[in-house]
């Protein structure tokens, strides 16, 4: 099955997934061996799920990755074990749709633990390849508790072929995963990375699961999935509970705790292919870290991208980086986080250092020292790719210009990893002098981006402000471009604020006035130094005047308050 086919299936109405529950094996025994020994029993359970109305049957392969099998001395036979499990699953050949399950390695993945990200990807690719070769129509990455391990598995399975991949995470009682990722950040991260459905189960009740789904539905570009529990519920009570989830926006129902064929039969008879809500958006203007979402746009709080992690003009930082130390990077990250920057720019472009290795070290470090999402600032496409691949969230790339190399190399990388990007209206011929020409470059970048599946929500246009000291119309030209982006293109906009006052006295006042003017024209983001009281007070005041009580809303997690 390919991804388009799966989407069409889900667009036909709520679907039911049948997961087999294994009971009775001794914990010290290899579960996969136990499953193989009891394959007749399991096959008959799978048949009964299918006959009760499940659209997709899930395999019992979730523990069969090499790190799990290692405990039973079977790591070297990973491919063989997965093959055996697939071959003894319910008749793959006879029209039953079988999705193979994968789950955690049991190890903690970089930057949160010791297993390197690429080792994790390799592990899931090894397992996934065997599953696909032996009849899996798609995959369910299930029972994940860490967004980064889920990302590794998703990237691995994406790279195997055009198979649909569903990702399922377990939320603890605070509605975050054990790795502290909230449901919205998980959804945005995974859907932009190419998941075909994202879903959750919670340690709390189905009512709580319903609230989580309602909250995130407005940001879903893909079908949502839930594993409602049937604990203590008779089949008709289970139907009522599942119906609420469908009404909240669930498109796929998986068998949770205590679900029997009677429960499946009951929901198949009522909810199956009943009225439902489709995914509501194509893409969302937002960046995420493993712990936080920052929503962007004209109807959201203004976002300050902290500019300080950039060695340009900073002697101390340069010397520190040349010694191979990230101490000052860490310090700048903490200071800018305290000053309430929304996003942190990271630029490691400095002669005499290995930009690739320093960028990766910085991204890994900052993923653990700050909750702020990152802006990857580099001209090198291979550095962009390496950074986006290992970043445990959805970053923004700084930047994609109209230059041939950026369009042909950086843009497809940003699109493949689902990142947002800053569109810079300049070309190989330089910076266009008129607003009209800049608009043409923005159009060129956007149409190339569309061909890779991006939407205007994925882009922030750089106003490319030059200093007024050399061109008196520089500020006005940039404001005109911002107005067009805001009013006609409906894209985010960003400026490097201090550029406007370069070479002038009393720069703070000029920067502050320009920020206010640009906000009035619809500016949504600025790259700036959040140490400036003037800038940060203007931003706070703007958020207040626009009616965004930013901290209060985000702390309570009522994302819906920001809905258009
Ligand atoms: N657009 C986009 N990206 C950008 C810019 C832009 N990235 C780089 C730049 N402009 C924004 N970042 C900086 C970083 C540092 C400084 C200014 C802009 C800076 N540094 C001081 C100096 O050079 O003397 C040092 C100040 C300090 O110590 O903090 O001014 O326009 N897309």
């Amino acid at each position: 099955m390919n991804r388009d086919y799966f989407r069409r299936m889900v667009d036909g109405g709520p679907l039911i997934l049948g997961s087999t529950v294994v009971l009775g094996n001794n914990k010290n025994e290899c579960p996969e061996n136990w499953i193989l020994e009891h394959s007749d029993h399991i096959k008959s359970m799978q048949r009964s799920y299918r006959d009760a109305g499940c659209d997709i049957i899930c395999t019992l392969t979730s523990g069969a990755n090499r790190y799990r099998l290692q405990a039973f001395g079977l790591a070297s036979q990973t491919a063989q074990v997965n093959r055996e499990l697939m071959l003894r699953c319910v008749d793959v050949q006879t029209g039953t749709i079988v999705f193979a399950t994968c789950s955690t390695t049991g190890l903690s993945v970089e930057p949160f633990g010791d297993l390197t990200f690429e080792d994790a990807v390799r592990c899931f690719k090894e397992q996934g390849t065997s599953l696909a070769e032996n009849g899996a129509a798609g995959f369910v990455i299930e029972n994940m508790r860490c967004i980064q391990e889920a990302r590794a598995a998703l990237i691995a399975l994406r790279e195997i072929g055009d198979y649909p991949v569903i990702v399922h995470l377990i939320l603890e009682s605070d509605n975050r995963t054990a790795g502290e990722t909230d449901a919205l950040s998980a959804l945005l991260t995974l859907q932009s990375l190419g998941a075909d459905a994202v879903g959750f189960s919670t340690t709390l009740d189905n009512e709580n699961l319903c609230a989580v789904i309602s909250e995130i539905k407005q940001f879903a570009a893909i079908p949502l999935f839930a594993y409602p529990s049937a604990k203590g519920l008779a089949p008709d009570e289970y139907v009522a509970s599942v119906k609420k989830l469908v009404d909240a926006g669930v498109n796929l129902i998986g068998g949770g705790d205590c679900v029997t064929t009677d429960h499946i039969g009951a929901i198949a008879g009522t909810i199956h292919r009943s009225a439902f809500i489709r995914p509501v958006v194509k893409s969302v203007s937002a960046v995420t870290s493993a712990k936080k979402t920052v929503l962007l746009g004209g109807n959201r709080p203004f976002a300050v991208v902290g500019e300080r992690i950039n060695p340009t003009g900073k002697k101390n930082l340069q010397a520190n980086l040349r010694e191979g130390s990230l101490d000052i990077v860490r310090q700048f990250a903490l200071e800018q986080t305290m000053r309430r920057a929304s996003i942190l720019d990271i630029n490691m472009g400095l002669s005499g250092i290995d930009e690739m290795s320093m960028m990766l070290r910085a991204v890994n470090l900052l993923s653990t020292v700050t909750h702020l999402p990152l802006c990857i600032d580099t001209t090198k496409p291979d550095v962009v790719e390496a950074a986006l691949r290992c970043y445990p969230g959805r970053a923004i790339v700084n930047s994609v210009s109209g230059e041939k190399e950026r369009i042909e190399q950086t843009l497809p990388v940003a699109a493949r990893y689902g990142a947002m990007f800053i569109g810079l209206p300049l070309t190989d011929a330089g910076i266009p002098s008129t607003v009209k020409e800049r608009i043409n470059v923005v159009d060129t970048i956007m149409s190339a981006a569309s061909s890779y599946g991006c939407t205007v929500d994925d882009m922030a246009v750089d106003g490319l402000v030059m200093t007024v000291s050399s061109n008196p119309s520089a500020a006005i030209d940039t404001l005109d471009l911002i107005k067009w982006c805001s009013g006609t293109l409906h894209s985010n906009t960003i400026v490097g604020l201090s550029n406007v006052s370069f070479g002038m006295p009393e720069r703070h006042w000029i920067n502050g006035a320009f920020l206010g003017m640009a906000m009035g024209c619809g500016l949504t983001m600025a790259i700036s130094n959040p140490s400036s009281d003037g800038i940060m007070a203007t931003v706070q005041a703007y958020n207040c005047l626009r009616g965004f009580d930013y901290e209060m809303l985000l702390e309570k997690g009522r994302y819906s308050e920001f809905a258009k």
Side-chain angles (χ1 to χ4, degrees), residues 42-165:
I42 286 159
K43 208 183 267 192
S44 86
M45 267 173 86
Q46 290 175 327
R47 280 205 193 97
S48 68
Y49 285 139
R50 180 192 59 197
D51 297 342
C54 287
D55 300 279
I56 294 170
I57 297 297
C58 298
T59 61
L60 277 172
T61 49
S62 67
N65 62 65
R66 72 161 41 233
Y67 294 105
R68 285 276 188 214
L69 291 175
Q70 202 159 29
F72 308 101
L74 292 171
S76 63
Q77 292 165 56
T78 302
Q80 182 65 21
V81 170
N82 281 283
R83 181 181 142 81
E84 294 289 326
L85 289 167
M86 280 307 295
L87 294 182
R88 294 197 216 172
C89 181
V90 70
D91 321 310
V92 177
Q93 314 306 336
T94 59
T96 310
I97 299 172
V98 176
F99 274 31
T101 58
C102 298
S103 189
T104 179
T105 57
L107 301 172
S108 184
V109 179
E110 208 180 27
F112 308 115
D114 294 332
L115 182 62
T116 72
F117 188 73
E118 292 308 326
D119 278 342
V121 172
R122 253 189 300 279
C123 156
F124 290 115
K125 206 177 268 185
E126 171 187 47
Q127 185 188 8
T129 302
S130 175
L131 294 168
E133 282 171 0
N134 292 291
F139 295 93
V140 185
I141 300 168
E142 66 177 3
N143 297 325
M144 301 302 275
R145 295 172 187 272
C146 168
I147 188 73
Q148 185 69 327
E149 194 180 22
R151 286 183 72 259
L154 177 57
I155 287 175
L157 298 179
R158 270 280 144 280
E159 290 177 358
I160 290 173
D162 189 36
Y163 297 97
V165 181

Side-chain angles (χ1 to χ4, degrees), residues 44-372:
S44 86
M45 267 173 86
Q46 290 175 327
R47 280 205 193 97
S48 68
Y49 285 139
R50 180 192 59 197
D51 297 342
C54 287
D55 300 279
I56 294 170
I57 297 297
C58 298
T59 61
L60 277 172
T61 49
S62 67
N65 62 65
R66 72 161 41 233
Y67 294 105
R68 285 276 188 214
L69 291 175
Q70 202 159 29
F72 308 101
L74 292 171
S76 63
Q77 292 165 56
T78 302
Q80 182 65 21
V81 170
N82 281 283
R83 181 181 142 81
E84 294 289 326
L85 289 167
M86 280 307 295
L87 294 182
R88 294 197 216 172
C89 181
V90 70
D91 321 310
V92 177
Q93 314 306 336
T94 59
T96 310
I97 299 172
V98 176
F99 274 31
T101 58
C102 298
S103 189
T104 179
T105 57
L107 301 172
S108 184
V109 179
E110 208 180 27
F112 308 115
D114 294 332
L115 182 62
T116 72
F117 188 73
E118 292 308 326
D119 278 342
V121 172
R122 253 189 300 279
C123 156
F124 290 115
K125 206 177 268 185
E126 171 187 47
Q127 185 188 8
T129 302
S130 175
L131 294 168
E133 282 171 0
N134 292 291
F139 295 93
V140 185
I141 300 168
E142 66 177 3
N143 297 325
M144 301 302 275
R145 295 172 187 272
C146 168
I147 188 73
Q148 185 69 327
E149 194 180 22
R151 286 183 72 259
L154 177 57
I155 287 175
L157 298 179
R158 270 280 144 280
E159 290 177 358
I160 290 173
D162 189 36
Y163 297 97
V165 181
I166 300 169
V167 187
H168 163 252
L169 294 139
I170 299 175
L171 302 177
E172 307 293 326
S173 56
D174 57 355
N175 279 337
R176 288 175 175 263
T177 66
E180 290 183 48
T181 304
D182 61 284
L184 180 60
S185 300
L187 169 68
L188 295 176
T189 301
L190 296 168
Q191 78 181 11
S192 58
L193 194 58
D196 296 284
V198 167
F200 303 95
S201 54
T202 80
T203 55
L204 302 180
D205 58 10
N206 294 341
E207 202 88 2
N208 176 64
L209 189 53
C210 211
V212 170
I213 296 291
S214 311
E215 211 167 75
I216 65 173
K217 180 66 179 180
Q218 64 193 306
F219 302 107
I222 54 174
L224 294 179
F225 172 48
Y227 264 136
S229 161
K231 198 170 187 171
L233 299 179
D236 59 325
E237 294 167 320
Y238 188 61
V239 168
S241 189
V242 172
K243 170 109 177 45
K244 280 191 198 154
L245 281 163
V246 171
D247 290 343
V250 162
N251 308 95
L252 290 146
I253 312 287
D257 265 3
C258 311
V259 172
T260 65
T261 47
D262 288 344
H263 292 100
I264 291 170
I267 56 171
T270 45
I271 278 128
H272 198 210
R273 298 186 176 272
S274 65
F276 69 104
I277 316 173
R278 285 204 161 75
V280 285
V281 294
K282 281 252 181 318
S283 185
V284 180
S285 271
V287 285
T288 66
S289 68
K291 297 188 181 169
K292 186 183 169 92
T293 291
V294 174
L295 297 166
L296 301 169
N299 290 318
R300 315 283 183 204
F302 192 86
V304 172
V305 181
E307 73 184 11
R308 295 184 63 205
I309 305 175
N310 182 336
T312 313
K314 296 192 188 79
K315 289 266 170 339
N316 286 348
L317 177 56
Q318 290 177 1
N320 199 237
L321 291 174
R322 288 207 169 98
E323 286 164 11
S325 166
L326 290 171
D327 288 351
I328 298 183
V329 167
R330 180 203 310 264
Q331 179 199 331
F332 283 2
L334 291 172
E335 284 170 7
Q336 295 183 105
T337 304
M338 298 278 281
R339 291 290 302 180
R340 298 195 185 197
S342 303
I343 297 169
L344 298 182
D345 189 85
I346 309 189
N347 183 311
M348 291 288 129
L350 175 63
S351 64
I353 69 168
D354 177 351
E355 184 178 352
M356 173 69 93
S357 94
M358 286 307 258
M359 178 62 89
L360 291 182
R361 282 181 56 202
V363 166
N364 278 323
L365 173 72
L366 297 187
S367 305
T368 59
V369 309
T370 176
H371 56 268
L372 299 183

Side-chain angles (χ1 to χ4, degrees), residues 432-476:
S433 50
T434 68
V435 175
K436 196 159 178 295
E437 286 170 296
R438 288 188 187 187
I439 288 174
N440 286 339
V441 183
V442 171
D443 279 337
T444 305
I445 297 171
M446 194 57 236
S447 62
S450 307
S451 75
Y452 294 116
C454 300
T455 79
V456 76
D457 294 324
D458 301 320
M459 178 171 69
V461 173
D462 195 311
L464 213 67
V465 63
M466 310 305 284
T467 174
V468 241
S469 66
S470 64
N471 175 7
S473 76
I476 296 300

Side-chain angles (χ1 to χ4, degrees), residues 307-308 310 312-314 332 345 347 377 398-399 422 424 462 464-465 494-499 502 507 527-529:
E307 73 184 11
R308 295 184 63 205
N310 182 336
T312 313
K314 296 192 188 79
F332 283 2
D345 189 85
N347 183 311
D377 187 356
N398 188 6
S399 54
I422 295 177
L424 211 60
D462 195 311
L464 213 67
V465 63
I494 184 164
V495 290
L497 207 51
S498 57
N499 298 3
F502 197 76
R507 295 180 63 179
I527 305 184
S528 186
N529 186 341

